[in-house]
Amino acid sequence: MSAWIGFPTAAAATFIALWAVVPLTLLLLQRLGLYTIVQEGTCQVFVLFGRVVGILNEPGLHFLPLSIGLPAFLVMWLGRREVLDMRLDQQYLRSNPVNSEEGAPMGVGIWYEMYISQPLAYLFRNADPRGSLAANVSNAVVRSLSNMPLEQMLINRHGMSKAVREEVSPRSHEWGYKLGSVYIRKVHFRDAGMTRHIQEKVVNRLRQVTSAIKQDGANQVNIITSTAERLAAIEFAKAGATRPQIVGQAIQVIAADREVADALFEILEVQQLLASKGQLTLLPPHDELLKSLIAARHGPQP
């Protein structure tokens, strides 16, 4: 029975030790300055009475008395510990004002990378190194890109990025920042009226080009049509010129046979009469007509 009572007690004591006693003990030992844990990509700087007593930049568990000596027992209480993020950081500056060689007000958007290279310079040489670096980059954009031809400013982004980086790098390193990649991401017109004016010019130019294309197509169609009509007229003229010759040769062949020729001409005459839509008066043969006239004048003959 006592074993069943002791097991829950031991389990509760173990739970309390793992979740309360051990963390509190480790926190107390850390506050006493016995150890510290440096995370990956970070750096810890220990300052005591205005003097740097130790810098730890290797990740892992460090025993402070072995790393920085006896000041480890005082730095957590009377000094301070600065934890710096040494990883690569990025920033984007939008619409930095720049004037082109032609006087056009342009805006340049620049993206750059930076990381802390010197922890002491980052902490003590500049109160705001990140803001100072941003101001330095912005000034470098103005210094290196002003009075550049507008055409190069719109297309030569690689050269502009290189010029800005060469201008900024020496100054930023003095503040503990190391500048990484620099890239001009956007170049735009800052004057809204100029933007609308350029858009109107582009639209008008597109309309002119479209109209020219349509007119050229219509001209090509007209050329093709006129060429086809001219060729057709030539062929019809050739056919009209050769038709009498062909008809004459056919009539000449037909005229060789007298009976066939008479029958053909009679048929053609009848066709012409029918096609003329005139009124026809049928008369009897010549001798019957003569007898009719004599009878009408002298009376019937015996």
Side-chain angles (χ1 to χ4, degrees), residues 8 16 18 20 29 55 73 89 109 120 127 152 166 174 180 204 219 231 273-274 280-282 287 289 292 301:
I16 294 173
L18 291 177
L29 293 177
I55 300 175
F73 298 103
D89 198 3
L120 296 182
Q152 295 183 10
E166 292 176 352
E174 297 176 1
N204 292 334
N219 293 338
L231 294 176
L273 292 175
L274 293 177
L280 299 179
T281 302
L282 299 179
D287 52 350
L289 178 60
S292 299
Q301 297 292 326

Side-chain angles (χ1 to χ4, degrees), residues 82-287:
E82 299 286 349
V83 180
L84 304 179
D85 190 352
M86 307 293 290
R87 294 173 297 180
L88 191 67
D89 198 3
Q90 301 175 353
Q91 188 168 351
Y92 181 60
L93 300 180
R94 300 178 181 273
S95 190
N96 292 270
V98 179
N99 290 330
S100 67
E101 184 180 21
E102 295 81 1
M106 307 298 295
V108 177
I110 183 169
W111 169 89
Y112 61 94
E113 297 176 341
M114 69 279 191
Y115 60 93
I116 300 174
S117 59
Q118 297 180 8
L120 296 182
Y122 176 80
L123 288 174
F124 302 109
R125 287 191 179 181
N126 196 318
D128 184 14
R130 186 183 182 93
S132 298
L133 179 62
N136 191 10
V137 172
S138 180
N139 293 332
V141 170
V142 176
R143 289 193 303 270
S144 58
L145 302 185
S146 292
N147 298 324
M148 180 179 291
L150 181 60
E151 182 180 1
Q152 295 183 10
M153 189 177 293
L154 293 175
I155 63 176
N156 190 17
R157 296 185 181 182
H158 178 72
M160 293 192 298
S161 303
K162 184 178 179 181
V164 173
R165 189 180 189 281
E166 292 176 352
E167 182 74 20
V168 176
S169 295
R171 185 70 60 84
S172 65
H173 193 60
E174 297 176 1
W175 302 329
Y177 255 137
K178 185 70 174 179
L179 192 68
S181 300
V182 176
Y183 185 67
I184 304 295
R185 294 188 60 182
K186 183 179 181 181
V187 178
H188 63 94
F189 294 96
R190 290 189 291 113
D191 190 352
M194 180 179 292
T195 303
R196 289 194 300 270
H197 184 62
I198 293 175
Q199 290 177 350
E200 291 175 357
K201 282 190 173 181
V202 171
V203 171
N204 292 334
R205 182 57 181 167
L206 290 175
R207 289 175 178 172
Q208 292 176 0
V209 172
T210 304
S211 177
I213 292 174
K214 291 182 177 179
Q215 185 62 40
D216 184 67
N219 293 338
Q220 294 294 332
V221 172
N222 292 333
I223 291 174
I224 294 173
T225 304
S226 61
T227 303
E229 292 177 352
R230 182 173 60 84
L231 294 176
I234 293 173
E235 295 299 327
F236 281 121
K238 289 180 179 179
T242 56
R243 181 176 180 277
Q245 181 181 359
I246 297 173
V247 173
Q249 292 177 356
I251 293 175
Q252 186 177 2
V253 174
I254 294 172
D257 190 341
R258 185 65 182 177
E259 294 181 357
V260 174
D262 293 341
L264 176 62
F265 287 123
E266 289 181 1
I267 293 173
L268 292 176
E269 185 178 1
V270 172
Q271 288 180 349
Q272 292 295 327
L273 292 175
L274 293 177
S276 65
K277 298 181 180 180
Q279 293 183 357
L280 299 179
T281 302
L282 299 179
L283 298 175
H286 180 70
D287 52 350

Side-chain angles (χ1 to χ4, degrees), residues 47-52 80 124:
V47 182
L48 181 62
F49 303 130
R51 186 171 65 89
V52 178
R80 73 178 191 271
F124 302 109

